[in-house]
Amino acid sequence: MKKLYLFSLINNFTLPNFEDFLRESSQGDFKLLVLMQIDQQKSSVLDYISHSQVQVDINKIHFLAPEINDKCAPQDTLKLLKEASGILVLGGNAHFYQKIYASPEICQIVQEKYSLGTPYAGVSAGAILSLNYNLLTDLALKPHFSEKKRFTELIAKMKKNRVKYGFGLDDNISLKIIDNNLIKCVGKDSFYLFTKHDINEYSFKILKNLDEVEIS
């Protein structure tokens, strides 16, 4: 079963989905991999874990971030990805993440791991990166949706990329997507699911905490 978790932020409202990801990723002799933009983000992950109800051996979590002038992922990224029991990609600059963590070799490994059941969680830029990995297809995604008034941006992105779906994700809500089909919402505020019907015809649904919806 494929499990994908998407966040704009991890906070008190979205923490239950983060806890679910932790449980799925930390079974047995696990190796959880966290991809970051800068080393300082490590403390935020440890803080999320400390506020969760899940007991995790933090010594089995591998944190990776490039050096400030690096133009590619750290040397052991491929090895750690192959061993990972769960993949968490944090937020930051989406273009930076795409440059560092979306090489063909990395994309292939993430796709293979995810297809075999390794859970993936993406926060903001990390959620966008899931599209670079083709974990979800035929859609555009905008985190911080209401907060940054991204309605027009999302429609423009859908048109540019010629995709069927658009995801608008508010800061206080998160998604758990099972087998690329069933979407479960957890948190506060709203998830906006846009669907393209024709070249200039779109509709959208507003989903709230505990709402579920299926996409094709």
Side-chain angles (χ1 to χ4, degrees):
M1 182 182 292
K2 291 179 282 191
K3 295 180 181 178
L4 178 63
Y5 301 81
L6 301 179
F7 304 83
S8 284
L9 297 173
I10 298 175
N11 55 32
N12 289 337
F13 301 110
T14 63
L15 190 62
N17 254 345
F18 181 67
E19 291 176 332
D20 193 80
F21 167 76
L22 286 178
R23 292 188 194 96
E24 292 290 335
S25 303
S26 60
Q27 300 177 19
D29 188 22
F30 71 94
K31 292 183 179 180
L32 175 58
L33 179 61
V34 183
L35 302 181
M36 308 178 294
Q37 181 168 339
I38 55 174
D39 283 326
Q40 289 83 344
Q41 290 174 292
K42 177 179 177 179
S43 61
S44 65
V45 178
L46 296 176
D47 187 55
Y48 302 151
I49 294 173
S50 70
H51 285 85
S52 77
Q53 302 298 314
V54 183
Q55 298 297 316
V56 176
D57 182 354
I58 61 174
N59 294 312
K60 294 183 178 180
I61 304 176
H62 299 271
F63 296 88
L64 280 183
E67 298 295 331
I68 191 167
N69 292 319
D70 283 354
K71 295 182 179 179
C72 60
Q75 187 174 4
D76 52 354
T77 301
L78 298 180
K79 175 180 178 293
L80 292 174
L81 276 171
K82 291 176 181 177
E83 298 173 347
S85 60
I87 300 167
L88 170 62
V89 185
L90 299 186
N93 184 291
H95 295 295
F96 176 89
Y97 277 90
Q98 289 162 349
K99 180 179 72 172
I100 297 294
Y101 295 120
S103 69
E105 296 85 359
I106 290 177
C107 289
Q108 181 179 350
I109 293 172
V110 174
Q111 290 166 12
E112 291 174 353
K113 295 285 291 186
Y114 177 70
S115 66
L116 293 173
T118 300
Y120 178 101
V123 184
S124 190
I128 294 171
L129 200 62
S130 70
L131 306 185
N132 293 95
Y133 294 144
N134 286 320
L135 306 188
L136 291 173
T137 57
D138 205 21
L139 70 88
L141 184 151
K142 290 291 180 181
H144 317 296
F145 187 70
S146 294
E147 292 79 7
K148 295 190 176 182
K149 299 178 174 61
R150 286 181 156 169
F151 184 102
T152 302
E153 284 183 48
L154 182 55
I155 294 296
K157 194 73 171 180
M158 291 177 68
K159 288 183 176 180
K160 179 181 178 181
N161 292 353
R162 300 180 180 180
V163 296
K164 181 177 180 179
Y165 294 109
F167 286 10
L169 194 61
D170 285 349
D171 283 354
N172 295 324
I173 200 161
S174 59
L175 307 180
K176 177 181 179 180
I177 306 175
I178 299 172
D179 288 334
N180 295 7
N181 170 253
L182 177 61
I183 302 174
K184 298 184 176 184
C185 304
V186 172
K188 189 184 176 183
D189 297 338
S190 302
F191 163 54
Y192 299 81
L193 174 61
F194 288 74
T195 304
K196 178 181 177 181
H197 301 287
D198 203 343
I199 187 169
N200 288 313
E201 183 181 352
Y202 295 78
S203 66
F204 69 91
K205 296 180 180 179
I206 303 175
L207 295 106
K208 300 288 188 177
N209 183 44
L210 303 183
D211 284 345
E212 298 184 5
V213 65
E214 292 187 11
I215 60 174
S216 60

